[in-house]
Amino acid sequence: MTDERTGLWLVGARGSVATTVATGLALITAGGAGPDGLVTEQPDLAAAGLVPLDHLVVGGHDVTDVPLVKRAAQLADAGVIPHTALALVADELDRTCRRIRHGHRDAEERQVDAVERLAADIRAFAETESLSRVVVVNVSSTEPVVTDDPAHASLDVLEQAWGAGESPLPPSAVYAAAAFTAGAAFIDFTPSTGARLPALEELAERHGVPWGGSDGKTGETLVKSVLAPMFAARSLRVRSWAGTNLLGGGDGATLADPDAMESKARSKARGLEAMLGHPVDGPVHIDNIADLGDWKTAWDHLTFSGFLGTRMSMQFTWQGCDSSLAAPLVIDLARLADLALRRGEVGPLPALGFFFKDPVGSDEHRLFEQHRVLTAWANEPATEQATAS
């Protein structure tokens, strides 16, 4: 492995997930924590020659100005990160904070100008920090489901709309466009639109960069992606699968908006029928409980029938810390997208479906099959990758 360094540019860089990412990387590099939760530290992926953790440099965009040290202290008070970490990582968090640039708000500027400004920030980050590559990961708040616009259909029409001063893209897609324009890979860890528009797929092709997503699989859906294949393999017919999610913090506040909640609920529901092989009554409810902060609880109740139609049921409860579950996956995705950049891959990265509820370029939702695909892809010889791309 060379001494090349890779930039991890976070959209929503002052949020809980991003702060946990920056704190975790700094703490691991300082020898104050181990790699628990990092899939890319497993032997079958670590052998793929991924960028070392201490060669990742964090920066990003955000529309708020809360110092990362203050945000980390709040997370420590909530039990998300250890209080003992703060003294060890304060200087590195300050350095990271100085790399964060002002993000995008629709009303502040023309969209085409925003794309160029955000892309310039990413290029300047790469130049100032002497980075070989940059991976942009969106960990900002969930957007409502996007309304179709003719400018989404092709890059030519999008550029004509921009030339006319129009703003047809949702914010997540503006960030994706900026990443591609800057020659960076883009990963959407949220259920927002991101790069999933034909016009932006063309833009990624034009600039020769890879992208992936969507919606990190950290909790309830992670469990579903293990349990649902079990029922299918045993020919036990699932008849209903209802879920209730309770969460607080910024994510809970965002999802209190019915439009944003609809985006999340659609993402969570997409894989279940694919894994079971038949339609199922599967409502998902998401409730904001401010007191829970960064912690979330999911309760699921499912009914199924077995031999001679005998009815049975199962319930499970998942309780976890959202940022602690998401942060290592963001780091994993940065290392893997960097691998794709080094290999010259262009376009969607279906092998990253292991990490997502609604994987780009793949209809596979079974966790262990996704892990097999991911491992095989990561360890492909460079000659095969060059041929494939």
Side-chain angles (χ1 to χ4, degrees), residues 237-278:
R237 185 173 183 83
V238 174
R239 296 181 173 273
S240 67
W241 196 318
T244 295
N245 294 254
L246 310 177
L247 70 162
D251 208 20
T254 297
L255 295 174
D257 176 354
D259 291 332
M261 192 278 289
E262 177 65 18
S263 179
K264 187 75 170 180
R266 288 189 189 186
S267 177
K268 290 172 72 68
R270 281 191 179 103
L272 187 57
E273 291 185 7
M275 289 185 286
L276 295 173
H278 60 82

Side-chain angles (χ1 to χ4, degrees), residues 3-10 55-61 98-101 117-136 178-179 181-185 338 341:
D3 289 331
E4 292 181 345
R5 302 197 307 164
T6 296
L8 169 51
W9 191 263
L10 298 168
H55 284 45
L56 286 171
V57 182
V58 181
H61 280 119
R98 290 194 290 272
R99 300 187 198 111
I100 298 174
R101 300 293 177 261
R117 177 179 63 82
L118 300 173
D121 289 340
I122 298 168
R123 293 192 198 100
F125 171 59
E127 182 177 353
T128 302
E129 300 296 331
S130 300
L131 305 173
S132 298
R133 292 163 299 278
V134 177
V135 177
V136 177
T181 301
D338 175 69
L341 276 170

Side-chain angles (χ1 to χ4, degrees), residues 292-330:
L292 292 179
D294 207 57
W295 301 80
K296 63 182 179 182
T297 296
W299 173 75
D300 278 38
H301 181 280
L302 61 103
T303 61
F304 62 98
S305 58
F307 191 54
L308 305 180
T310 304
R311 296 296 189 102
M312 292 165 269
S313 66
M314 177 181 182
Q315 299 179 43
F316 69 83
T317 302
W318 171 277
Q319 294 177 302
C321 175
D322 203 37
S323 294
S324 294
L325 291 164
L329 303 187
V330 171

Side-chain angles (χ1 to χ4, degrees), residues 215-250:
D215 199 4
K217 184 162 58 178
T218 59
E220 178 190 32
T221 309
L222 177 66
V223 179
K224 282 183 175 181
S225 67
V226 175
L227 287 179
M230 176 196 75
F231 285 101
R234 285 291 302 269
S235 295
L236 298 171
R237 185 173 183 83
V238 174
R239 296 181 173 273
S240 67
W241 196 318
T244 295
N245 294 254
L246 310 177
L247 70 162

